[in-house]
C-alpha cells in the first residue's frame, strides 16, 4: 500500500504523437518501452499523459503536458518519463530549462529514455539543453521545408489537401480536381439555379424536397449553398487559406473566398470546376444584391426592398424614413407612433419613383467625364453588365497590393536591416526588385487598360440611359442610385388639394454636395 502512494516510488509517462502519420501502435510501443524502464527502476506508473498536438508552436495549448508538469509541482509524483526529449518539447532550451528548474526545486527527475538522459545526473543538464536546441532547429527546418514545398505546389496548381467542394474530387495519386461521378449532377443543378438568379434558400428547399442530401448525408441549407458559390475551388481555382488554432490548440487551415493569384496576377487553376470563372462572377454579383454585411454573423440574407426609394426617401416634417404602404410612401413614425411623433404625409409610389428616375438620368448625363462619381457609377454598371471584368478588376487590385507589400518588405530588408550585403547580395537584391517592379508595371498596365475599357457611353446619352434604367431590375437600379444620392426629402404640400408636381416637393442630397440647403428648405416648411 505504501508503494502505491509514495510519490518517490510513483512515476508518470508523457507521450505525444509527433506527426499525424504516427499511429496508435507507435504510441503503444513507446508506452511499452517506458513501462519496462519504470519496472526496472522499481517505479509504479501512476498516469499516462498523451497529447496529439505540436510541441513546436508557441501558441499551441498542450493540456496533457501542462497536467503532467502540474502533477510534479503538486508533489503527486517525483518522476516523469518521456520516450524522447523531442516528444516533450521542441521549443528549445528555454522551455526545457524551465521544466528542469521546476523539477529540481521539487526534488523530482525528468528522464528522456531514448536519449539516455536523467536530470538527476548533474552532467546531463547541458546535454538536455543541447538536445532541446537540436530538436527545435530540426522542427523549424522541417516546418520551413514543408511550407515552402506546399506553397510551390500550390503555385503550380496542385491541390493543397483536404476535401474539395461538393461535386468535385481529387483521386489518390493525382493533384488536380475533377468531376465527382456521383455528385456532379446535383452540383451542376445547384449551379444552374444560382446562375438563373434563384436564392440559396429556395435551392436548398428544392433539393430537400427531392430527397437529395449533402456529401455527409445531411439536409441542404442556404448557408451550404452560399458556401459552395463563394468557393474558388468550385470554379476550378486554387483557394487561399487562413491559419487558425482550434479549441484543442491544434493548428488548422480554412479556405477563404478569394482565389490564389500567381506571380502574373492571374488566378491559379487547380483543375476542373463545377462552374466556370464567368459563372462564378455572375453568381457572386447576384448574391451581393441579396446579402448585407453583419459585423457579428458575417454575411446574412436581407429582404428585398419593396420600392426604388425604400431607405432613401425622408419625411419633410420629422426627418424620419418613409416606407411603402399600399400604393403610397408614408411616414414610418406617423404609422407606428401616431400624431404625437409626426403629423405625417404621403405620396404615391409611382409618382415619386417616376420623378426620381427623371432627376437621376438628368443628373448623371450632365456629370463631367472625369467626375469621380461618374467613374464609380461606370464601375458599378460594369459589375452588373460584365461581372467577369469586375472580378478581374478586384483581382488586379489585390495583386497590386500584394506586389507593393513585397517590394516594401524587400526595400526594408535591404536599407533598414542591412541584408543583401556585398556585391552578390546587391546583385540578388537588384534581381528581386526588378522582378517585382516588372510585375507591378504589368498589373498596373492591365488595370489601367481595364479602366479605360469601361464604356460610359450609356451614362452620357440621356435616351440610352433611360432605356437601360427602365430595363434594370429594382435592386440594380437602387445600387446605381446610391452611388450619387445620399437621400431625398419630401416636403409637405402647400395645402389640402394642392396639385403641385411631386418633383417640386423633392429635395435631393447628392453625394459630394453640402446638405445644408436641403436642411434649410425643410426648416422653412
Amino acid at each position: 500500500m505504501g508503494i502505491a502512494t509514495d510519490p518517490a516510488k510513483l512515476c508518470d509517462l508523457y507521450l505525444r504523437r509527433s506527426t499525424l502519420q504516427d499511429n496508435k501502435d507507435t504510441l503503444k510501443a513507446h508506452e511499452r518501452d517506458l513501462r519496462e524502464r519504470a519496472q526496472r527502476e522499481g517505479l509504479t506508473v501512476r498516469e499516462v499523459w498523451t497529447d496529439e498536438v505540436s510541441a513546436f508552436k508557441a501558441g499551441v495549448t498542450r493540456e496533457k503536458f501542462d497536467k503532467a508538469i502540474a502533477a510534479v509541482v503538486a508533489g503527486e509524483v517525483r518522476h516523469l518519463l518521456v520516450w524522447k526529449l523531442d516528444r516533450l518539447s521542441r521549443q528549445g532550451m528555454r522551455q526545457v530549462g524551465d521544466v528542469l528548474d521546476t523539477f529540481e526545486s521539487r526534488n523530482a527527475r525528468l528522464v528522456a529514455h531514448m536519449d539516455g538522459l536523467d536530470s538527476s545526473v548533474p552532467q546531463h543538464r547541458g546535454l538536455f539543453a543541447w538536445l532541446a536546441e537540436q530538436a527545435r532547429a530540426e522542427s523549424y527546418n522541417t516546418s520551413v521545408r514543408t511550407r515552402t514545398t506546399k506553397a510551390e505546389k500550390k503555385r503550380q496548381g496542385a491541390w493543397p489537401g483536404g476535401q474539395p467542394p461538393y461535386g468535385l474530387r481529387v483521386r489518390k495519386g493525382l493533384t488536380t480536381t475533377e468531376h465527382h461521378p456521383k455528385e456532379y449532377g446535383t452540383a451542376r443543378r445547384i449551379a444552374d439555379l444560382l446562375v438563373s438568379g434563384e436564392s440559396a434558400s429556395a435551392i436548398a428547399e428544392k433539393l430537400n424536397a427531392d430527397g437529395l442530401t449533402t456529401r455527409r448525408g445531411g439536409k441542404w441549407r442556404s448557408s451550404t449553398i452560399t458556401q459552395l458559390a463563394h468557393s474558388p475551388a468550385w470554379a476550378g481555382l486554387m483557394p487561399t487559406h487562413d491559419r487558425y488554432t482550434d479549441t484543442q490548440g491544434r493548428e488548422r487551415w480554412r479556405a477563404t473566398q478569394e482565389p490564389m493569384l500567381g506571380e502574373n496576377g492571374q488566378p491559379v487553376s487547380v483543375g476542373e470546376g463545377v462552374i466556370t470563372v464567368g459563372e462564378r462572377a455572375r453568381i457572386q454579383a447576384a448574391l451581393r444584391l441579396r446579402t448585407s454585411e453583419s459585423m457579428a454573423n458575417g454575411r446574412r440574407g436581407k429582404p428585398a426592398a419593396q420600392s426604388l426609394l425604400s431607405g432613401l426617401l425622408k419625411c419633410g416634417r420629422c426627418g424620419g424614413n418613409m416606407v411603402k404602404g399600399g400604393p403610397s410612401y408614408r411616414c414610418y413614425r406617423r404609422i407606428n407612433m401616431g400624431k404625437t411623433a409626426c403629423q405625417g404625409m404621403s405620396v404615391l409610389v409611382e409618382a415619386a419613383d417616376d420623378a426620381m428616375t427623371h432627376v437621376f438620368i438628368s443628373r448623371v448625363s450632365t456629370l463631367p467625364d472625369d467626375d469621380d462619381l461618374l467613374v464609380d457609377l461606370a464601375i458599378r454598371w460594369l459589375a452588373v453588365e460584365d461581372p467577369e471584368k469586375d472580378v478581374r478588376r478586384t483581382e488586379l487590385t489585390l495583386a497590386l497590393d500584394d506586389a507593393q507589400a513585397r517590394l516594401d518588405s524587400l526595400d526594408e530588408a535591404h536599407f533598414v536591416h542591412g541584408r543583401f550585403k556585398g556585391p552578390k547580395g546587391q546583385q540578388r537584391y537588384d534581381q528581386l526588385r526588378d522582378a517585382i517592379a516588372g510585375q507591378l508595371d504589368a498589373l498596373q498596365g492591365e488595370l489601367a487598360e481595364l479602366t479605360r475599357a469601361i464604356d460610359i457611353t450609356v451614362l452620357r446619352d440621356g435616351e440610352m440611359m433611360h432605356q437601360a434604367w427602365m430595363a434594370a431590375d429594382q435592386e440594380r437600379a437602387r445600387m446605381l442610385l446610391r452611388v450619387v444620392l445620399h437621400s431625398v426629402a419630401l416636403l409637405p404640400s402647400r395645402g389640402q388639394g394642392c396639385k403641385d408636381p411631386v418633383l417640386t416637393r423633392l429635395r435631393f442630397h447628392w453625394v459630394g454636395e453640402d446638405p445644408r440647403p436641403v436642411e434649410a428648405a425643410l426648416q422653412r416648411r
Side-chain angles (χ1 to χ4, degrees):
M1 194 71 178
I3 296 178
T5 58
D6 183 4
K9 295 293 183 179
L10 296 177
C11 71
D12 283 357
L13 311 182
Y14 178 77
L15 303 170
R16 184 184 64 81
R17 290 179 65 182
S18 63
T19 65
L20 293 178
Q21 284 71 40
D22 280 355
N23 55 37
K24 293 182 178 179
D25 290 338
T26 303
L27 290 182
K28 287 181 180 179
H30 293 175
E31 181 180 345
R32 184 172 59 252
D33 289 346
L34 294 179
R35 285 186 178 276
E36 290 175 355
R37 171 72 178 264
Q39 186 177 10
R40 288 197 301 271
E41 296 187 8
L43 300 175
T44 299
V45 176
R46 185 191 70 102
E47 187 77 47
V48 179
W49 308 98
T50 304
D51 274 320
E52 296 189 9
V53 294
S54 172
F56 172 69
K57 300 178 182 68
V60 172
T61 300
R62 288 193 287 159
E63 180 183 353
K64 300 301 176 62
F65 171 81
D66 292 338
K67 288 183 177 181
I69 302 301
V72 175
V73 172
E76 298 173 9
V77 294
R78 295 273 183 84
H79 314 270
L80 179 63
L81 278 59
V82 299
W83 188 74
K84 207 171 185 294
L85 186 60
D86 63 7
R87 295 302 199 262
L88 178 74
S89 172
R90 289 196 169 193
Q91 293 186 28
M93 251 183 336
R94 181 171 182 177
Q95 185 176 61
V96 173
D98 289 342
V99 171
L100 294 177
D101 289 343
T102 300
F103 278 41
E104 185 178 358
S105 66
R106 297 298 190 276
N107 195 26
R109 62 194 278 259
L110 173 66
V111 175
H113 174 62
M114 292 298 294
D115 299 315
L117 297 180
D118 185 336
S119 66
S120 64
V121 179
Q123 294 82 359
H124 283 191
R125 186 176 179 104
L127 294 174
F128 267 110
W130 182 77
L131 283 178
E133 284 301 302
Q134 286 291 102
R136 181 179 183 275
E138 179 186 350
S139 184
Y140 175 78
N141 291 334
T142 301
S143 176
V144 170
R145 286 194 298 269
T146 301
R147 293 181 190 278
T148 302
T149 301
K150 285 186 175 180
E152 182 58 31
K153 286 183 177 179
K154 288 181 66 175
R155 282 193 290 270
Q156 294 174 1
W159 180 250
Q163 279 196 333
Y166 185 86
L168 300 173
R169 70 177 182 179
V170 177
R171 284 189 290 170
K172 187 175 182 180
L174 300 180
T175 59
T176 56
T177 57
E178 63 181 17
H179 295 161
H180 194 297
K182 294 182 179 180
E183 298 176 354
Y184 179 74
T186 302
R188 189 58 233 182
R189 177 185 175 186
I190 295 171
D192 290 337
L193 291 171
L194 285 169
V195 171
S196 68
E198 197 85 26
S199 69
S201 57
I203 295 172
E205 186 176 349
K206 289 180 179 179
L207 296 178
N208 292 329
D210 292 343
L212 299 172
T213 62
T214 64
R215 178 175 286 164
R216 296 183 178 180
K219 295 275 189 184
W220 286 97
R221 299 181 180 181
S222 60
S223 58
T224 310
I225 304 294
T226 304
Q227 186 177 13
L228 281 178
H230 285 301
S231 170
W234 215 46
L237 303 177
M238 179 69 70
T240 55
H241 291 79
D242 283 337
R243 184 174 61 185
Y244 71 101
T245 302
D246 66 13
T247 54
Q248 283 75 43
R250 294 173 295 190
E251 183 182 75
R252 291 287 186 262
W253 294 83
R254 56 191 162 204
T256 70
Q257 296 179 4
E258 299 299 328
M260 180 180 179
L261 302 179
E263 293 183 354
N264 59 358
Q266 298 285 347
V268 177
S269 173
V270 74
E272 290 184 318
V274 172
I275 57 176
T276 66
V277 175
E279 286 175 330
R280 181 175 188 263
R282 289 192 289 276
I283 289 171
Q284 290 193 316
L287 289 174
R288 282 195 294 268
L289 294 177
R290 289 197 184 91
T291 55
S292 59
E293 297 297 331
S294 169
M295 293 297 289
N297 301 316
R299 302 185 73 86
R300 58 181 174 85
K302 66 174 181 179
Q306 295 183 344
S307 54
L308 179 65
L309 293 177
S310 292
L312 292 170
L313 187 61
K314 307 296 180 182
C315 174
R317 295 187 190 276
C318 67
N321 288 331
M322 297 189 70
V323 296
K324 183 178 181 294
S328 302
Y329 287 113
R330 301 179 183 277
C331 175
Y332 181 79
R333 289 183 181 176
R334 175 69 174 83
I335 294 172
N336 287 275
M337 301 171 65
K339 290 183 179 180
T340 56
C342 180
Q343 295 181 28
M345 66 172 75
S346 65
V347 64
L348 290 174
V349 170
E350 183 178 1
D353 288 359
D354 286 347
M356 184 70 255
T357 296
H358 172 77
V359 174
F360 172 77
I361 294 173
S362 175
R363 174 85 177 174
V364 171
S365 61
T366 57
L367 287 173
D369 287 351
D370 59 350
D371 192 293
D372 290 341
L373 289 178
L374 188 68
V375 175
D376 192 12
L377 196 64
I379 292 173
R380 300 291 184 93
W381 195 276
L382 174 71
V384 179
E385 291 292 323
D386 195 342
E388 292 181 52
K389 286 185 178 179
D390 181 57
V391 169
R392 182 59 187 151
R393 180 185 178 84
T394 302
E395 291 171 350
L396 287 171
T397 303
L398 292 173
L400 272 170
D401 291 342
D402 178 66
Q404 187 61 57
R406 285 188 282 117
L407 187 62
D408 293 342
S409 178
L410 180 67
D411 286 342
E412 182 179 355
H414 179 50
F415 295 109
V416 178
H417 300 293
R419 297 172 187 168
F420 303 100
K421 295 179 180 179
K424 289 186 178 181
Q426 182 64 43
Q427 183 181 8
R428 179 60 177 160
Y429 165 76
D430 292 339
Q431 290 174 343
L432 292 173
R433 202 179 198 289
D434 289 344
I436 298 175
Q439 293 171 18
L440 276 170
D441 289 342
L443 293 170
Q444 289 169 343
E446 186 180 349
L447 184 59
E449 183 61 33
L450 190 61
T451 302
R452 285 193 296 269
I454 295 176
D455 186 10
I456 64 170
T457 305
V458 69
L459 304 179
R460 313 307 293 129
D461 187 293
E463 183 61 29
M464 290 179 64
M465 183 67 182
H466 184 268
Q467 292 176 3
W469 178 268
M470 297 306 294
D473 59 38
Q474 186 166 273
E475 287 296 336
R476 175 182 172 187
R478 284 171 53 80
M479 178 185 70
L480 298 175
L481 189 59
R482 286 182 176 274
V483 174
V484 295
L485 182 70
H486 281 306
S487 63
V488 54
L490 176 69
L491 301 179
S493 63
R494 292 185 297 171
Q496 188 173 3
C498 176
K499 300 296 184 180
D500 290 344
V502 173
L503 187 57
T504 63
R505 296 171 56 195
L506 297 177
R507 295 296 181 268
F508 303 93
H509 178 197
W510 301 105
V511 172
E513 289 191 354
D514 191 344
R516 286 177 293 184
V518 176
E519 296 171 354
L522 296 177
Q523 291 174 359
R524 287 196 296 270
R525 291 296 181 112

